[in-house]
Amino acid sequence: MEVSVIGNSQARICRAELACRELGFRFISNRVSFCNPSSKWKEIGIRCSPMSVKCEAIVSDQVPFLKSTPKPRSLESVRLFVGLPLDTVSGCNNVNHMKAITAGLKALKLLGVEGIELPIFWGVVEKEAAGKYEWSGYLAVAEIVKKVGLKLHASLCFNGSKNPEIGLPDWVAKIGEAEQGIYFTDRYGKPYKDCLSFAVDDVPVLDGKTPMEVYSGFCESFKSAFSDYMGNTITGITLGLGPDGELRYPSHQQDTKLSGAGEFQCYDTHMLSALKHYAESTGSPLWGLGGPHDAPAYDQQPHYSSFFSDGGSWESQYGDFFLSWYSSLLISHADRVLSVASSAFSGTGVSLCGKLPLLHQWHKLSSQPSELTAGFYSSNGQDRYEAVAEIFAKNSCRMIIPGMDLSDEHQSPGSLSSPESLLAHIKTSCKKQGVLVSGQNSSASVPGGFERIVENLKDENAAIDLFTYQRMGALFFSPEHFQAFTVFVRNLNQLELSSDDQAAENEAETVNIGSTTGAAASLQAA
C-alpha cells in the first residue's frame, strides 16, 4: 500500500527496511501515524490534507514525551535539517541501507523537515590515487534527496572517523607510513592518523602538492560533479577543519577519557620545526625545543600537574608564548581552508560553514584547560573565540556550534563544566563579528535535550535560523525517540489544518518498517 501526499514531490511511504526495532506507519484515512506496533497504538503522527500540502503533527494524550507548546515567533524562520549516518556511502562507493534511508527521508519530509546533511569523506571519494575522484555513491544519495523534495547540506570531511571506520585516502596513508610527520603527534610519539597536521598546510607533502592544493582540487571536483544540484537541492556546504570535522587539535582522542585536561599536539616534525622558528624569531630559542613539560596527560585532571593551576605556567610569559603560537596555527588553518572553499564555491548560491567544538569540560576553571589544549587561547585578556569568529566573517562563513541540547544541571559537578555559559560566550563572539550561527545537538541523547534546543533557538540575540539534528540511525527511528522528535518538529513548524483534515478516521492499516532481520545492522546510529 502507498499513501501519496501532494506537494513539491510525490512523497510515498512504502514498505522498507529501517531499523532494528519495528516502527509502524499507521494509515487511517488521511492520517499517517508513526507507532510502536507492540503498544496499544500510542501514536504521534502527521495529518495531511489530500487537497493541500499543509500538515500537522498529531499527538496522543498518552505519549509521555516533550509537551507541545504554542510556537513562538522566534522559531518561525528556523530551518530544520537531519544528518544522515556517517557510513551512508561505503569505501566502495556503495550506498548502504538504501531502502531504509529512502523511507526515512520520506518520513522526515512528511514531518516538515527541510533538508538532510550528508557527510562526504575524502577517504571515500579520492581513495585510490591523487586526483582520481569517485562521486557515484554520493551522487546517488543527492538524487534520492532531490526526488523526495528535500534540501541537501554537504559536509566535506577531510578527516577520518573511528566509528564507523573510515580513514584518510589510501594514497595519503601510504605517504604517512613513510613520513609520519604529516600527522599530529603527542609527546609520547603516538600519531593521530585521522587528520593531517596543521603545520603541513602549505608544505608539498602529498605527492608534490600541499594539502591546501589537494583540498582545492577536491572542492573543484565536487562543484563540477554536483553542478546540477548546486544552489537548488544543495543549499549549504560545511568544510572539515580538523578532527571529526571540527576546528581543534585532537587533544581529546576517542580512546581516552573526556574527563581529562587533554594533551597538546605539537610533537610532529613539522610542528616542532614551526615552534623552533617561532621561538627564534621572538628571541627565546630555548622555548622552541618542545611543548610544555609540566602539562597533564590525556586522561589526567588539570590539577594533576602545575601547568593549568592558578599561577601555573599557562599564566607565565612562557605560557603566553607557547599558547599564542599554538592557537595561531589553528586560526591560520581555519583561514586557509575557508579561503579555499570561498574561492571554489563563489557564485554557486550555497552558504559555507565551519564547525567549532563545544569544549565545556573544565570551563569553570580560570585556565579552561580543555579549550587551551584544543587550541583556543588569546593573550592580554582578548576574547579567544572572537579571533576565530573574525576569520569566519572574513570568509563569509557561518559557524556551526554543537551541544545545543546540553544543560549545566546534567553535568557532573566534579568536571566544573558549563556548556550553557560557553555556548553563550561563543554566540556573543559571533554576534560581535556579524557571523551567522547554525546549531547542532550533541551526538548522544541527553535528558531534557529537546527542550534545551528549543530554548537556544528562541534566543533572539543569536538569531539561529538553521538547526541540524544529528543523526539518523536505529536509535533515531526507535519508537520512543521518534515520537519525541516528532513533537519537537511540531514546535518548530506548526501549521494550520485545512477543513479537509477533519474527516472521520477509520479502517486502520499498518505497514511495519524494519521487521526484516537484514536491516538490523544496516542502519546504525552514528
Side-chain angles (χ1 to χ4, degrees), residues 224-335:
S224 176
F226 289 81
S227 59
D228 291 342
Y229 302 91
M230 299 292 284
N232 43 73
T233 299
I234 298 177
T235 58
I237 296 174
T238 295
L239 280 300
L241 298 176
D244 299 321
E246 299 176 334
L247 179 61
R248 62 178 175 87
Y249 289 98
S251 51
H252 283 96
Q253 299 183 14
Q254 294 183 359
D255 56 351
T256 62
K257 299 177 182 178
L258 290 177
S259 59
E263 268 208 34
F264 293 110
Q265 304 290 309
C266 60
Y267 294 91
D268 65 76
T269 54
H270 295 280
M271 287 287 283
L272 287 174
S273 176
L275 176 59
K276 181 175 182 294
H277 178 76
Y278 180 73
E280 291 173 349
S281 68
T282 57
S284 305
L286 294 179
W287 286 352
L289 301 180
H293 69 280
D294 55 348
Y298 291 111
D299 57 354
Q300 293 174 342
Q301 296 191 354
H303 59 262
Y304 185 86
S305 56
S306 60
F307 187 87
F308 294 116
S309 62
D310 290 341
S313 298
W314 75 279
E315 293 186 286
S316 68
Q317 187 177 358
Y318 164 75
D320 181 64
F321 156 84
F322 175 79
L323 294 171
S324 294
W325 166 79
Y326 191 66
S327 177
S328 69
L329 263 67
L330 182 82
I331 294 174
S332 295
H333 172 75
D335 191 20

Side-chain angles (χ1 to χ4, degrees), residues 494-507:
Q494 190 173 30
L495 301 174
E496 295 181 1
L497 295 175
S498 72
S499 59
D500 295 324
D501 290 316
Q502 306 304 320
E505 300 170 358
N506 50 41
E507 298 182 4

Side-chain angles (χ1 to χ4, degrees), residues 122 127 167-180 182-183 193 196 206:
W122 181 26
K127 181 177 182 179
L168 297 184
D170 290 347
W171 63 276
V172 174
K174 289 179 180 178
I175 293 172
E177 290 175 5
E179 177 50 71
Q180 291 203 355
I182 66 173
Y183 302 124
K193 296 184 178 181
L196 296 181
L206 300 180

Side-chain angles (χ1 to χ4, degrees), residues 298-506:
Y298 291 111
D299 57 354
Q300 293 174 342
Q301 296 191 354
H303 59 262
Y304 185 86
S305 56
S306 60
F307 187 87
F308 294 116
S309 62
D310 290 341
S313 298
W314 75 279
E315 293 186 286
S316 68
Q317 187 177 358
Y318 164 75
D320 181 64
F321 156 84
F322 175 79
L323 294 171
S324 294
W325 166 79
Y326 191 66
S327 177
S328 69
L329 263 67
L330 182 82
I331 294 174
S332 295
H333 172 75
D335 191 20
R336 291 187 185 104
V337 176
L338 296 180
S339 294
V340 163
S342 182
S343 175
F345 298 114
S346 176
T348 59
V350 301
S351 62
L352 296 182
C353 310
K355 183 178 177 180
L356 255 64
L358 193 71
L359 302 158
H360 57 85
Q361 293 85 5
W362 308 110
H363 184 68
K364 293 180 181 178
L365 280 180
S366 56
S367 59
Q368 298 173 335
S370 291
E371 295 164 71
L372 294 187
T373 55
F376 294 92
Y377 172 79
S378 186
S379 60
N380 302 320
Q382 300 297 313
D383 188 301
R384 64 186 68 179
Y385 291 100
E386 197 166 336
V388 176
E390 186 177 353
I391 293 300
F392 276 65
K394 171 188 171 184
N395 292 286
S396 302
C397 290
R398 285 176 170 266
M399 185 180 292
I400 300 173
I401 310 176
M404 291 198 172
D405 54 338
L406 301 178
S407 60
D408 288 2
E409 67 174 307
H410 292 112
Q411 304 305 312
S412 169
S415 69
L416 297 179
S417 173
S418 182
E420 292 181 29
S421 61
L422 178 55
L423 181 59
H425 181 173
I426 299 175
K427 288 191 290 187
T428 298
S429 299
C430 288
K431 184 178 180 181
K432 288 180 180 179
Q433 294 295 328
V435 175
L436 296 176
V437 171
S438 296
Q440 285 187 4
N441 57 308
S442 56
S443 59
S445 180
V446 296
F450 285 123
E451 290 92 337
R452 188 65 200 158
I453 293 170
V454 170
E455 288 301 311
N456 276 308
L457 296 181
K458 287 164 59 178
D459 183 356
E460 298 286 354
N461 292 324
I464 300 168
D465 66 348
L466 176 62
F467 183 85
T468 302
Y469 190 87
Q470 300 292 9
R471 180 174 295 278
M472 275 177 63
L475 175 62
F476 178 85
F477 281 110
S478 66
E480 295 82 3
H481 180 273
F482 196 72
Q483 288 177 14
F485 178 78
T486 302
V487 184
F488 165 68
V489 176
R490 183 186 183 189
N491 281 330
L492 301 183
N493 189 25
Q494 190 173 30
L495 301 174
E496 295 181 1
L497 295 175
S498 72
S499 59
D500 295 324
D501 290 316
Q502 306 304 320
E505 300 170 358
N506 50 41

Side-chain angles (χ1 to χ4, degrees), residues 71 82 118 314 478 509:
K71 178 182 166 187
V82 174
L118 172 64
W314 75 279
S478 66
E509 181 177 351

Side-chain angles (χ1 to χ4, degrees), residues 156-167:
L156 306 185
C157 306
F158 298 117
N159 57 279
S161 172
K162 286 287 189 290
N163 185 24
E165 191 65 39
I166 299 175

Side-chain angles (χ1 to χ4, degrees), residues 134-145:
E134 178 53 73
W135 298 102
S136 58
Y138 293 114
L139 281 167
V141 176
E143 185 62 21
I144 295 171
V145 173

